[in-house]
Amino acid sequence: MKWLSLALALVAPSQAYIRFGCATLSVQRLDPVVEPGRLPSAHLHQIVGGNAFNASMTGDIGEKATCTTCSFSEDFSNYWTAVLYFKARNGTYKRVPQYPNALLGSLTGGMTVYYLQQDFNSNGKTKITSFKPGFRMTVGSPTSTKGGNPGLKYTCLKDIMTRGSETDDFPKQPCAAGIMAIHHFPACWDGKNLDSPNHQDHMYNTVKGMFQNAGPCPASHPVRMPQVAYETMWNTTQFNDKSLWPADGSQPFVWSFDDSKGYGTHGDYLFGWKGDALQRAMDSTSLVSNNLKTQSVAEANKCALKTTINEPIDGWLDKLPGAGGM
Ligand SMILES: *[C@@H]1O[C@H](CO)[C@@H](O)[C@H](O)[C@H]1NC(C)=O
Ligand SMILES: *[C@@H]1O[C@H](CO)[C@@H](O)[C@H](O)[C@H]1NC(C)=O
Ligand SMILES: *[C@@H]1O[C@H](CO)[C@@H](O)[C@H](O)[C@H]1NC(C)=O
């Protein structure tokens, strides 16, 4: 029997990523990375992860949070993006609801988070170094007016499983199952700085998108980190009637920083895994059999954060929260 189980082990597909759902933790105008301490921040965010999230959080978040909305219960990191709004013909706005990835159970809203080793299918041979406590980074910029980053994309969802057919800007036609916003973060670190003034220069982006192996890290940023990616599913179906769309035929969705093209798409990451949990996962050659602790969907959904910025974000709004500032 021994040879049989060995043979089975050899043909078992190798999994080189951890993929998990995180329910919505909070939707409010806070941004501890780009605008630390500022109450409120310029535009609205949807945030998932640990409940240590606040405007001025610092230090070892893995030791400060007491619950997380993520399926892996040792992950107290925070992950956030801007929020999608529908802009009606009369100029009012309504928030687009989020829905969870089909593969990950009935979490409330939120996003899917990935940490890859080499690429989607292969662990590779390179050592993948975990982020350190206090580490933070962003990808993309709300002021960007053109595409070109292979890691920042949209997919027009025909159904919940549609993948591929990525675009740099918002889909131009109604998407039956909504719009997926995709954010791949850079994977090369300078080995020294937990952050940098623009929250990007301590990282170097060699990401090719679509969960391919990121290109080799340059000498300036030699340390290969996990490739982090987010997928956020926006349920646009209540807005898909084209008679509600602008009369000139343009698409009606805007990011919460008032971007109707979509090129300003960006994501924020604040590391907060407990202890060496992420490093242990990245060191295991089959991430299927990693030793990470999990929690139930009900437990993840239960973790919540009090909203400290009290302003309307739902219903028909005359203007975007904070008037869509950048
Ligand atoms: C925010 O979190 C930090 C720890 O990261 C804590 O020291 C601070 O008291 C918190 N601030 C508020 C307003 O809760
Ligand atoms: C604006 O348009 C939306 C969508 O058509 C509608 O539901 C809402 O009532 C309108 N608001 C006003 C003030 O006309
Ligand atoms: C998307 O929104 C529609 C309309 O509000 C709703 O009927 C449907 O259940 C939602 N789908 C998911 C997957 O949440």
Side-chain angles (χ1 to χ4, degrees):
M1 285 310 285
K2 218 171 188 175
W3 63 270
L4 182 61
S5 51
L6 179 64
L8 284 174
L10 288 175
V11 297
S14 114
Q15 183 179 315
Y17 57 90
I18 48 174
R19 168 175 55 197
F20 53 101
C22 300
T24 296
L25 175 75
S26 182
V27 180
Q28 57 180 326
R29 277 202 291 144
L30 290 181
D31 190 337
V33 171
V34 177
E35 299 171 273
R38 189 164 162 205
L39 301 164
S41 67
H43 57 259
L44 192 67
H45 293 121
Q46 57 90 13
I47 304 126
V48 307
N51 68 342
F53 186 83
N54 77 26
S56 53
M57 63 199 290
T58 53
D60 192 347
I61 301 311
E63 296 302 322
K64 290 178 180 169
T66 55
C67 69
T68 173
T69 68
C70 297
S71 313
F72 286 121
S73 56
E74 293 163 291
D75 184 12
F76 300 105
S77 305
N78 287 112
Y79 311 91
W80 65 98
T81 74
V83 170
L84 198 63
Y85 275 87
F86 169 76
K87 186 176 184 182
R89 283 190 178 188
N90 61 19
T92 64
Y93 301 88
K94 194 172 178 194
R95 182 159 73 100
V96 179
Q98 289 161 246
Y99 74 100
N101 193 315
L103 306 165
L104 304 171
S106 49
L107 291 163
T108 307
M111 358 183 203
T112 311
V113 175
Y114 293 78
Y115 288 79
L116 268 73
Q117 292 175 323
Q118 174 174 291
D119 58 40
F120 204 69
N121 300 307
S122 170
N123 308 107
K125 292 193 167 56
T126 308
K127 163 85 178 174
I128 308 289
T129 303
S130 169
F131 308 101
K132 307 264 177 294
F135 180 89
R136 46 193 68 196
M137 64 177 161
T138 66
V139 65
S141 162
T143 58
S144 180
T145 53
K146 55 183 198 319
N149 182 331
L152 298 177
K153 296 287 181 179
Y154 301 92
T155 296
C156 182
L157 300 170
K158 294 189 183 64
D159 58 58
I160 192 171
M161 294 307 291
T162 308
R163 293 297 181 272
S165 308
E166 298 182 343
T167 55
D168 284 353
D169 54 352
F170 287 131
K172 295 183 173 52
Q173 295 300 320
C175 302
I179 297 170
M180 184 164 77
I182 302 160
H183 297 92
H184 291 269
F185 285 77
C188 299
W189 182 43
D190 70 7
K192 296 193 276 284
N193 297 295
L194 300 176
D195 193 6
S196 50
N198 66 0
H199 317 293
Q200 299 190 349
D201 285 349
H202 57 315
M203 296 296 284
Y204 190 93
N205 204 344
T206 59
V207 160
K208 295 177 182 146
M210 303 287 279
F211 300 112
Q212 302 168 74
N213 185 10
C217 290
S220 61
H221 296 73
V223 184
R224 183 68 158 75
M225 312 297 269
Q227 291 189 67
V228 176
Y230 307 164
E231 291 174 343
T232 314
M233 324 269 283
W234 297 96
N235 185 354
T236 56
T237 57
Q238 63 177 298
F239 309 109
N240 277 353
D241 175 355
K242 269 205 116 171
S243 71
L244 302 172
W245 285 37
D248 69 1
S250 59
Q251 71 82 37
F253 298 102
V254 297
W255 282 121
S256 49
F257 48 94
D258 201 13
D259 171 9
S260 63
K261 296 281 188 273
Y263 297 127
T265 184
H266 59 284
D268 291 63
Y269 174 80
L270 206 154
F271 172 80
W273 284 81
K274 200 172 180 63
D276 67 348
L278 182 63
Q279 188 63 64
R280 272 189 281 118
M282 289 297 131
D283 287 344
S284 58
T285 48
S286 173
L287 279 176
V288 164
S289 58
N290 65 61
N291 297 318
L292 296 174
K293 297 190 185 101
T294 59
Q295 64 179 352
S296 69
V297 164
E299 283 171 304
N301 284 341
K302 211 167 60 195
C303 182
L305 189 70
K306 210 171 144 282
T307 299
T308 49
I309 308 297
N310 289 305
E311 62 181 351
I313 59 168
D314 286 319
W316 291 102
L317 306 176
D318 290 340
K319 48 186 177 49
L320 293 166
M326 287 181 185

